[in-house]
Amino acid sequence: METPQIPYITLNDGSRMPGVGMGCWMGAVGGSEEAGRTTRLALDLGYRHIDTAAAYGNEEAVGKVIRESNIPRDQIYVVTKLPEAAHGNVVEGFNASLAALGLDYVDLYLMHWPMAHDPATKRVLQPEESPTFVETWLEMEKLLQTGKVRTIGVSNFSVKTLEILLPHVKVVPAVNQIEMNPCLPNDEVFEYCKKKGIAVTAYTPMGRPDAPFYTSPIFLSISEKYNAAVGQILLSWSVQRGAVPIPKSSNPERAKQNITLVKLASEDMAQIDLFHKQEGMHRTLCHRKRVEGTTALFGWTFEQLGWNLGEGGVALE
């Protein structure tokens, strides 16, 4: 089978990351069987970037497929993430993930969320409570000395939280993984990360199955122009603007489409760039159901997170 030409990006530590990955969040904690099947499909199709997390509950299944793939380990870029309950014991949290994966090292280790949980009570700690995300990051920096993690980064960080973090670091995060799609392009934090040399990984890059892209005349017209699926257009837009999308699909046809990119003309990029300006479109798609009727997510307010969102995850213009 021909391996698609997936672009690579160079991170601020000189390492290289495949420019499209396969996400392993299965929609609920666990899903080990589907996660394993999805990872196997991805590697067979030519994906070389696999993104999981302790919180997904499927590191063991993902790691097993990677180990049994017969693909040299240095050709697979493995990402996992520190759970909130391990912010006060980063080494223990990391070692638990490494053991679950059954690997000698991970390529990229991310702080999954800026908020910490008390492991005993499961209470969400507020931004000023210890361990703060600055304290957690300084402990993550020490992992680089072990040789068991090559690169470290953050996830779900905003300009606000990065502005708090960066003055204290010895190692600038190489990556910030955030939701990014044409409904929530996250332009402010994306441009900020570019200026700081921080690469951006895009989760939910294709929205949800009921996302407006799939019925939008704009996307249907662009899709027809390139004889490509709407999903391919969405991922091509992400890559062309300089982000690294991590779609998830266990459908062989769609999974192959997702790494078969097209070169979009500047006028088509511009149309997609402005899609969120349409009435009612500028909002989170990933967290929509979790934030219905509220202005908080996972125990922090949008203001504390630095997310410019109002009730229900609709952007504040």
Side-chain angles (χ1 to χ4, degrees), residues 59-229:
E59 288 173 311
E60 191 172 332
V62 170
K64 183 174 187 288
V65 171
I66 290 169
R67 294 194 311 273
E68 294 175 355
S69 68
N70 293 321
I71 298 169
R73 173 65 187 88
D74 63 1
Q75 292 181 23
I76 305 175
Y77 196 89
V78 180
V79 184
T80 194
K81 308 178 189 77
L82 178 75
E84 295 92 303
H87 279 214
N89 196 333
V90 169
V91 171
E92 184 178 301
F94 174 74
N95 285 338
S97 282
L98 198 64
L101 288 163
L103 302 175
D104 294 331
Y105 69 93
V106 298
D107 296 275
L108 175 62
Y109 195 51
L110 303 178
M111 189 190 312
H112 203 159
W113 287 91
M115 69 283 281
H117 291 180
D118 182 319
T121 66
K122 296 186 169 53
R123 183 176 68 87
V124 179
L125 305 188
Q126 293 305 293
E128 67 281 359
E129 292 185 273
S130 183
T132 65
F133 58 75
V134 172
E135 292 170 333
T136 298
W137 178 259
L138 296 179
E139 291 303 308
M140 286 181 64
E141 289 185 345
K142 296 174 184 177
L143 292 176
L144 294 170
Q145 301 165 14
T146 68
K148 295 177 181 178
V149 58
R150 303 292 169 84
T151 301
I152 54 175
V154 294
S155 180
N156 294 298
F157 272 58
S158 62
V159 173
K160 178 178 180 175
T161 47
L162 285 168
E163 289 265 83
I164 294 168
L165 175 66
L166 291 179
H168 303 281
V169 307
K170 293 178 181 175
V171 179
V172 174
V175 172
N176 183 19
Q177 184 174 129
I178 57 175
E179 179 180 355
M180 184 185 288
N181 54 61
C183 278
L184 196 69
N186 261 319
D187 292 329
E188 183 187 17
V189 67
F190 188 42
E191 291 305 317
Y192 180 88
C193 286
K194 280 184 182 177
K195 289 175 185 173
K196 298 295 183 180
I198 302 169
V200 170
T201 304
Y203 69 75
T204 323
M206 302 164 72
R208 297 298 193 195
D210 61 351
F213 318 128
Y214 300 101
T215 55
S216 160
I218 292 172
F219 278 95
L220 293 175
S221 173
I222 296 173
S223 174
E224 183 178 6
K225 175 179 176 180
Y226 293 93
N227 191 29

Side-chain angles (χ1 to χ4, degrees), residues 8 32 40 97 115 171 288:
Y8 276 71
S32 292
R40 188 174 296 106
S97 282
M115 69 283 281
V171 179
R288 178 172 56 87

Side-chain angles (χ1 to χ4, degrees), residues 42-56:
L43 295 176
D44 287 347
L45 289 173
Y47 287 80
R48 292 296 180 263
H49 176 170
I50 304 297
D51 182 283
T52 187
Y56 299 170

